[in-house]
Amino acid sequence: MSNQHFDVLIIGAGVSGIGMACHLKSECPGKSFAILERRQSLGGTWDLFRYPGIRSDSDMFTFGYNFRPWTGGKVLADGASIKNYVAETAREHDVERHIRFGLAVKTADWSGVDKCWKLTALNEETGETEHYTANFMVGCTGYYNYDQGYKPDFPGESDFRGQIVHPQHWPEDLDYTGKKVVVIGSGATAITLVPTMAEKAAHVTMLQRSPTYLMPLPSTDKLTLALQKILPEKTAYRLTRARNIAISRFLYQRSRKSPQFMRRLFLSIIKRKVGDTADMRHFTPDYNPWDQRLCVVKDGDLFQAMKAGKAAIATDHIDRFTETGIHLKSGEELAADIIIPATGLDIQMLGGIRPTVDGEEVVMKDKVIYKNVMVEGVPNAGMIFGYTNISWTLKVDIAAEYLCRLMNLMDKRGYRTVVARDTENSRGDDTVLGSLNAGYINRAADRLPRQGTHGPWKSSQNYLEDVKILRFEPIEDGYLEFDGKRTHASQKESGGFLRPLRSALFGT
């Protein structure tokens, strides 16, 4: 079968893949590229998840791309609106025609002899295998398994006579009107599902083993709406992004430095929302803020549903499923017609692809990440990973910019290969997803590449620091090998602190 060659192959047409393609189009206009997408539509996460109330858990003014303003005053957008935003971005930047839909990439092998990646992809509609080669490969597949989410095996599950529905596989025809629903979990999915389903269901109970830190957030930003009336669209967008980035960074850093103070602050906010009669045991985590992600409560809808008697929280452990619901270890019985295990994601790298370098498999857990965009020892390849403590897309933009800078430098110098080499044994214990103590990260520790302990191998989860590193520091830093040789920039780029700070906050 014939082979199709491109300068760059992007794996995945979600937020990261479309963002990478748009940057490639504008910053490397001479390069040929294609996006290989397994699904029949772009959007990634926002095409996959269809459960009621699906929305962003980050504000849209930082979740939007830095080159295309998110318009309107809506802070937390629904899934359909986000997918539409991504699709419109792809059309406006003429990258939609570069997407090859329905292709599941099965193998990716770097050939040191041919200096290129060789990929095979299964056309899931025809059953045929297609072959591609590329000078550079960029993984934009996110970090979880699209085929299945994580669900524990619950004792007595087969005894339950109602429906069990995982949020990742939501049936379009599911009717929960007037039904009793139990949502298992306390993460972003559960926090979204419970108040939304409570609008139609007879009653919804959120069953959690332990509470999560919650943060009420209004769905409309009145200040931004005002700015949009008096300022140009891009200016209003940049000012709002700058403000939201600064607030997010402050809350995160303050939580790490003064956890007890921030704990009291978060709990006092929740207490005001739920009222004096609520049992704060259901809202008081046993860990410090930002040891796990905060969950956003849109317009306080969860608290309103609880006050109206349409929803409740149970903090307990499951003993077993019964014919009519769930029996808890405390002895309480939760009646249910529908049980929804919002129990998390199944983490996987590169959409399940196991890349090889000259026939030898790349074992991710044994590798260390370079500047959070490349894997050491893997030539001519990038990997787009967003943030875990602020909006994912903030990292997508600057990581894509960095990879474009890298490819342009290689063209300028005539280099054919680039690979990051860790010669200092800098491998640490934290994974590429940071030090968050979330269950879905801990379960996948044996599948994720590691951060290093210092230098470019250390992932800061700090947007301002990453802007400085990825947008302004020289590409040739002595850690990268080009055509087998380490090189240093002849003259270090300058600009001081203010230039990266201005660029980080305002996207300029």
Side-chain angles (χ1 to χ4, degrees):
M1 183 175 290
S2 63
N3 177 77
Q4 302 176 70
H5 180 79
F6 296 90
D7 293 323
V8 183
L9 278 175
I10 299 170
I11 314 300
V15 171
S16 300
I18 296 302
M20 180 67 213
C22 290
H23 282 286
L24 195 64
K25 186 91 174 178
S26 63
E27 295 158 41
C28 305
K31 289 197 176 296
S32 62
F33 70 93
I35 308 172
L36 306 185
E37 168 58 50
R38 181 180 177 184
R39 300 177 65 78
Q40 293 296 335
S41 180
L42 58 75
T45 293
W46 308 104
D47 180 60
L48 174 69
F49 284 99
R50 307 292 178 90
Y51 61 79
I54 173 69
R55 58 167 170 80
S56 65
D57 203 34
S58 302
D59 80 272
M60 290 305 300
F61 300 100
T62 56
F63 191 80
Y65 299 112
N66 63 10
F67 56 85
R68 185 173 185 267
W70 170 265
T71 57
K74 190 180 289 186
V75 178
L76 302 175
D78 60 89
S81 296
I82 298 172
K83 179 182 174 179
N84 185 59
Y85 169 78
V86 176
E88 287 181 348
T89 302
R91 285 193 292 272
E92 286 183 14
H93 289 78
D94 194 32
V95 301
E96 191 174 32
R97 63 188 176 90
H98 295 271
I99 306 174
R100 310 289 181 93
F101 291 109
L103 293 180
V105 178
K106 296 299 182 181
T107 64
D109 180 61
W110 169 260
S111 170
V113 174
D114 298 323
K115 303 292 190 295
C116 70
W117 282 96
K118 299 181 179 182
L119 281 69
T120 61
L122 175 66
N123 186 318
E124 295 190 321
E125 185 175 344
T126 65
E128 296 180 353
T129 297
E130 300 183 11
H131 297 265
Y132 294 85
T133 57
N135 301 331
F136 210 97
M137 179 178 71
V138 185
C140 296
T141 58
Y143 59 84
Y144 64 89
N145 187 343
Y146 274 43
D147 290 330
Q148 61 184 24
Y150 172 74
K151 187 184 77 62
D153 292 326
F154 296 107
E157 189 174 332
S158 60
D159 296 335
F160 180 58
R161 295 186 305 199
Q163 288 180 276
I164 299 175
V165 179
H166 195 283
Q168 195 163 321
H169 303 285
W170 198 269
E172 291 185 10
D173 59 350
L174 181 66
D175 182 12
Y176 54 89
T177 304
K179 301 289 183 64
K180 295 187 291 292
V181 180
V182 174
V183 178
I184 303 172
S186 59
T189 302
I191 298 300
T192 301
L193 271 170
V194 171
T196 306
M197 297 188 73
E199 296 173 4
K200 295 181 180 180
H203 190 269
V204 183
T205 301
M206 187 174 84
L207 173 59
Q208 59 181 13
R209 287 186 301 179
S210 59
T212 300
Y213 284 102
L214 305 179
M215 173 58 71
L217 192 68
S219 59
T220 302
D221 189 333
K222 294 181 180 179
L223 177 57
T224 298
L225 289 174
L227 289 175
Q228 289 172 344
K229 291 179 180 179
I230 61 175
L231 295 174
E233 184 180 78
K234 288 186 177 180
T235 303
Y237 184 60
R238 287 173 176 172
L239 286 173
T240 303
R241 279 171 67 88
R243 179 201 62 186
N244 291 357
I245 290 169
I247 291 173
S248 296
R249 286 302 308 161
F250 173 79
L251 289 175
Y252 178 75
Q253 291 178 330
R254 197 67 181 166
S255 294
R256 307 313 286 176
K257 292 179 180 179
S258 307
Q260 291 307 309
F261 171 78
M262 294 303 291
R263 176 183 176 87
R264 290 193 296 270
L265 175 63
F266 287 133
L267 294 183
S268 67
I269 292 172
I270 298 305
K271 188 169 181 60
R272 287 199 300 270
K273 291 292 183 180
V274 298
D276 294 333
T277 59
D279 186 351
M280 284 299 293
R281 178 176 63 95
H282 299 308
F283 303 98
T284 307
D286 58 4
Y287 57 87
N288 289 327
W290 274 114
D291 283 351
Q292 298 183 26
R293 282 184 65 100
L294 270 64
C295 286
V296 170
V297 181
K298 186 186 72 169
D299 295 322
D301 55 4
L302 174 65
F303 312 129
Q304 294 171 16
M306 293 177 66
K307 287 180 178 179
K310 296 284 289 180
I313 298 178
T315 304
D316 209 327
H317 286 73
I318 295 172
D319 177 49
R320 61 177 289 107
F321 281 28
T322 66
E323 290 185 353
T324 57
I326 300 176
H327 186 266
L328 304 177
K329 289 191 175 180
S330 64
E332 183 182 356
E333 182 94 15
L334 296 179
D337 301 303
I338 301 173
I339 296 175
I340 302 170
T343 45
L345 306 170
D346 178 40
I347 300 293
Q348 70 175 11
M349 299 295 294
L350 291 174
I353 305 166
R354 295 184 174 181
T356 59
V357 174
D358 292 322
E360 184 175 342
E361 183 178 339
V362 177
V363 181
M364 289 293 182
K365 69 180 178 65
D366 295 335
K367 298 294 184 179
V368 66
I369 203 81
Y370 170 82
K371 293 187 177 179
N372 229 30
V373 293
M374 299 174 72
V375 177
E376 58 112 359
V378 181
N380 288 31
M383 192 163 56
I384 302 290
F385 257 93
Y387 289 111
T388 56
N389 61 343
I390 49 177
S391 291
W392 178 273
T393 322
L394 289 173
K395 187 60 174 286
V396 170
D397 278 319
I398 55 176
E401 289 173 14
Y402 174 82
L403 291 173
C404 289
R405 286 180 62 208
L406 172 61
M407 286 184 266
N408 284 336
L409 180 135
M410 292 176 68
D411 289 345
K412 181 180 179 181
R413 300 275 201 270
Y415 298 139
R416 295 186 64 190
T417 65
V418 59
V419 62
R421 296 287 187 195
D422 176 21
T423 60
E424 303 170 344
N425 193 28
S426 66
R427 185 179 183 275
D429 294 327
D430 287 341
T431 72
V432 66
L433 294 179
S435 58
L436 291 182
N437 191 29
Y440 67 93
I441 295 177
N442 294 334
R443 288 192 300 269
D446 62 341
R447 285 167 267 167
L448 295 171
R450 294 309 193 259
Q451 295 183 41
T453 56
H454 61 279
W457 313 105
K458 179 72 175 176
S459 176
S460 68
Q461 294 292 318
N462 183 327
Y463 177 64
L464 298 183
E465 180 67 18
D466 283 342
V467 166
K468 174 176 163 292
I469 292 170
L470 297 177
R471 190 176 283 169
F472 296 106
E473 288 191 354
I475 298 291
E476 296 170 290
D477 59 359
Y479 293 94
L480 295 180
E481 288 184 2
F482 293 93
D483 291 347
K485 298 178 181 179
R486 292 194 174 209
T487 62
H488 292 265
S490 57
Q491 183 176 2
K492 198 171 183 65
E493 296 180 35
S494 62
F497 172 71
L498 290 179
R499 184 183 175 201
L501 177 61
R502 182 178 69 248
S503 178
L505 292 180
F506 298 102
T508 58

